[in-house]
């Protein structure tokens, strides 16, 4: 639901994937996960993913073979054409991101701006790469990073403290770095969890999956403050917190104010916004 942006009916595409469908381009959206998240998968196109292999296509004769397979042919059937298009996107993304990431990797992580703030946190390294790509001016409009481990059905307190500390350090360093450049000051960052937690603890000193959860949005043009009301811990919805803001309103605000797209075209007709979220 969070990644698809469609709580009312099942769908096989992500909300930003449907945004990509409007103007297919493999460089517009990039995930730092090893596997492309549903968030960036559209009905007819998808974003790129920059996993541990760093999109390292082979060089020499093997690389030329891959590039040749990516060329369209009038004799191609629909599946051959789709495969060729996918390979062409891979070649394009590799040519754009490989050299940029290699340049970033050459920098000393301890001396890059904000590079050591997240310790050994995976999300800190992901955001360091994102920051470097933004500063290098690649044409990507959307980046996706993730931090796992929040499935805290047992011994929740210590895990939450550790993970939220990593998240705080990584995001704080990223925000500070973005504030130092013109490109960085145009960045808007949105943070959400793909599931909330129940209010009452279970028998294992943890909490089970819930529905409502907080979202964070920050950037130079974001108006500070809390939107929506603080949730009640006693007036619950079948054991879950009651959401006071529809998450699609946040998506709608980002689509219209950051990506310049009418939310209705992406969110199945949903046109809601969070009033005054952006200045």
């Amino acid at each position: 639901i969070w990644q698809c942006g469609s709580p009312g009916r099942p769908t096989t595409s992500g909300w930003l994937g449907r945004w990509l469908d409007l103007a297919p381009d493999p460089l517009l959206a990039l995930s730092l996960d090893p596997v492309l998240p549903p968030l960036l998968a559209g009905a007819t196109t998808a974003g790129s993913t920059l996993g541990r292999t760093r999109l390292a296509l082979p060089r020499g004769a093997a690389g030329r073979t891959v590039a040749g397979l990516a060329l369209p042919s009038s004799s191609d059937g629909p599946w051959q054409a789709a495969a060729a298009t996918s390979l062409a996107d891979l070649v394009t993304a590799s040519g754009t991101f490989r050299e940029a990431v290699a340049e970033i990797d050459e920098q000393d992580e301890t001396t890059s701006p904000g590079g050591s703030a997240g310790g050994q946190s995976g999300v800190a390294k992901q955001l360091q790469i994102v920051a470097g790509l933004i500063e290098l001016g690649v044409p990507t409009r959307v980046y996706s990073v993730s931090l796992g481990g929040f499935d805290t059905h047992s011994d929740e307190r210590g895990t939450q403290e550790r993970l939220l500390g990593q998240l705080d350090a990584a995001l704080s360093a990223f925000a500070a770095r973005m504030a130092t450049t013109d490109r960085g000051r145009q960045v808007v960052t949105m943070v959400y969890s793909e599931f909330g937690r129940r209010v009452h603890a279970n028998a294992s000193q943890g909490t089970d999956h819930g529905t409502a959860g907080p979202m964070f949005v920050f950037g130079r043009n974001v108006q500070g403050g809390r939107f929506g009301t603080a949730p009640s811990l006693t007036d619950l919805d079948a054991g879950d917190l009651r959401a006071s803001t529809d998450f699609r309103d946040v998506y709608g605000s980002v689509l219209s104010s950051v990506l310049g797209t009418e939310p209705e075209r992406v969110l199945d007709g949903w046109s809601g916004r969070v009033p005054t979220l952006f200045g």
Side-chain angles (χ1 to χ4, degrees):
I1 288 174
W2 280 96
Q3 297 213 28
C4 294
S6 179
R9 63 182 181 88
T11 182
T12 57
S13 61
W15 67 282
L16 284 172
R18 295 192 294 276
W19 169 74
L20 290 170
D21 285 341
L22 301 177
D25 184 338
L27 303 181
L28 281 182
L30 178 67
S31 168
L32 274 293
D33 285 308
V35 178
L36 188 78
L39 172 75
L40 299 182
T44 58
T45 190
S48 300
T49 183
L50 187 66
R52 297 179 182 89
T53 61
R54 297 284 193 264
L55 287 177
L57 290 179
R59 298 182 182 273
R64 290 191 294 273
T65 299
V66 172
L69 290 171
L71 296 175
S73 172
S74 58
S75 63
D76 284 347
W79 292 111
Q80 290 171 305
T85 299
S86 180
L87 275 173
D89 288 347
L90 178 61
V91 170
T92 299
S94 176
T96 299
F97 297 126
R98 180 166 59 182
E99 292 184 7
V101 172
E103 182 176 332
I104 294 168
D105 284 342
E106 287 177 0
Q107 301 171 5
D108 183 1
E109 185 172 321
T110 62
T111 58
S112 298
S116 62
Q120 298 302 309
S121 165
V123 74
K125 179 60 177 177
Q126 292 174 62
L127 286 172
Q128 181 191 2
I129 294 173
V130 170
L133 292 172
I134 291 169
E135 291 164 357
L136 289 171
V138 300
T140 305
R141 298 290 309 280
V142 171
Y143 294 93
S144 170
V145 304
S146 65
L147 175 63
F150 285 93
D151 207 359
T152 51
H153 292 281
S154 62
D155 300 324
E156 183 172 63
R157 180 174 178 176
T159 302
Q160 285 283 77
E161 288 180 350
R162 175 177 56 82
L163 291 172
L164 292 176
Q166 290 180 8
L167 183 66
D168 174 47
L171 289 174
S172 296
F174 180 73
R177 181 170 175 176
M178 290 298 93
T180 64
T181 64
D182 289 338
R183 289 194 179 104
R185 286 187 285 271
Q186 299 176 49
V187 171
V188 170
T189 304
M190 183 177 72
V191 186
Y192 70 93
S193 172
E194 67 177 345
F195 49 78
R197 309 304 305 184
R198 305 278 282 180
V199 173
H200 294 287
N202 58 29
S204 302
Q205 297 184 341
T207 54
D208 298 324
H209 288 199
T211 53
M215 300 178 70
F216 303 100
V217 183
F218 61 87
R220 182 180 63 173
N221 295 322
V222 176
Q223 301 301 299
R226 182 171 64 196
F227 296 85
T229 58
S232 170
L233 295 179
T234 55
D235 179 20
L236 303 178
D237 179 11
D240 287 318
L241 298 173
R242 296 184 183 276
S244 60
T245 300
D246 194 300
F247 71 101
R248 290 171 294 178
D249 289 354
V250 184
Y251 291 179
S253 297
V254 170
L255 285 165
S256 60
S257 297
V258 181
L259 298 177
T261 300
E262 299 89 346
E264 299 91 328
R265 303 179 67 189
V266 172
L267 299 176
D268 197 22
W270 187 266
S271 60
R273 314 279 205 285
V274 177
T276 69
L277 177 59
F278 293 97

